[in-house]
Amino acid sequence: MITGKLIIITAPSGSGKTTLVKRLLASSEKLEFSISACTRNPRNGEIHGKDYYFYDEDTFRKLIAEDAFVEWEMVYTGKYYGTLKSEMQRIWDAGKSPLVDIDVMGALVVRDKYPGNCLTIFIEAPSIDELRRRLIARGTETEQTLEERVNKAIHELTVAPNFDHVIINDDLDRAEAELSKIVESFLLN
Ligand code: 5GP
């Protein structure tokens, strides 16, 4: 088994991480999105095998029993997410580096499984008020899930210093430029 470089991007929900990840993937042929498995329902327009591998809970549990995951977690109440070993290997075998977009705790687990060849980046919204505003504007949350995401974000911010880089997403173009520079330099060395 040959492993290569690995890039982990994480952020509290509502930090603008997904947009930054999409832009980064579009700008670099050396990177490929690592598709996670999850048990939540697909949102409008999401495709199995592109955005996530959408599985029911039984299938997900079977994968846990087979030791198929680098890490897995119940990220939100009743919803499991996990990084598949086979997915990372598929990308390395294609001569590329996986870009892993996962939650903060999962990011630390993956990093510790692949020490040495891993770049970890934490994306932060300018403030909790701004993060809350962005989540409301996105229109995907109920009052209860909004509070769950905001409380999780407050806790996750305390873990930010454990990452190689923290990027404040105050302006999308500026944050994208900073992110690209960090990733390019990691891939070159
Ligand atoms: P969403 O439901 O909004 O797509 O994702 C919710 C959260 O789960 C995001 O923070 C996302 O990065 C995280 N996530 C996605 N895939 C994985 C994974 O494989 N493992 C872990 N631990 N978190 C993940």
Side-chain angles (χ1 to χ4, degrees), residues 6-156:
L6 168 67
I7 293 161
I8 302 173
I9 300 190
T10 191
S13 182
S15 308
K17 174 188 58 170
T18 306
T19 308
L20 283 169
V21 163
K22 282 192 178 143
R23 287 193 182 190
L24 184 64
L25 285 164
S27 72
S28 174
E29 288 181 352
K30 295 174 229 159
L31 295 177
E32 192 166 330
F33 182 61
S34 161
I35 304 162
S36 291
C38 78
T39 63
R40 76 155 166 77
N41 292 324
R43 293 183 188 133
N44 253 349
E46 284 185 330
I47 296 170
H48 173 81
K50 178 170 176 276
D51 300 286
Y52 281 103
Y53 299 110
F54 293 103
Y55 293 132
D56 59 29
E57 212 171 301
D58 278 354
T59 309
F60 199 96
R61 285 186 190 286
K62 225 172 269 168
L63 289 167
I64 295 173
E66 290 165 4
D67 197 24
F69 290 111
V70 181
E71 64 79 42
W72 64 270
E73 214 187 317
M74 193 195 283
V75 175
Y76 295 108
T77 314
K79 302 297 170 206
Y80 293 91
Y81 294 75
T83 309
L84 291 159
K85 291 177 183 171
S86 57
E87 183 65 10
M88 311 280 280
Q89 201 56 52
R90 177 182 73 76
I91 297 170
W92 280 322
D93 288 347
K96 297 189 178 189
S97 299
L99 193 156
V100 181
D101 164 355
I102 61 178
D103 98 312
V104 174
M105 297 308 149
L108 295 175
V109 175
V110 176
R111 177 195 65 182
D112 292 345
K113 294 243 170 113
Y114 300 101
N117 52 0
C118 190
L119 173 71
T120 59
I121 300 168
F122 187 101
I123 312 279
E124 198 174 307
S127 68
I128 289 290
D129 281 349
E130 174 61 14
L131 181 136
R132 183 190 291 273
R133 202 189 58 72
R134 288 180 191 178
L135 281 171
I136 292 169
R138 195 165 83 177
T140 52
E141 307 309 316
T142 64
E143 210 167 295
Q144 190 201 336
T145 64
L146 175 73
E147 284 318 308
E148 188 178 8
R149 286 186 184 242
V150 169
N151 286 334
K152 190 168 186 294
I154 290 169
H155 170 67
E156 287 170 338

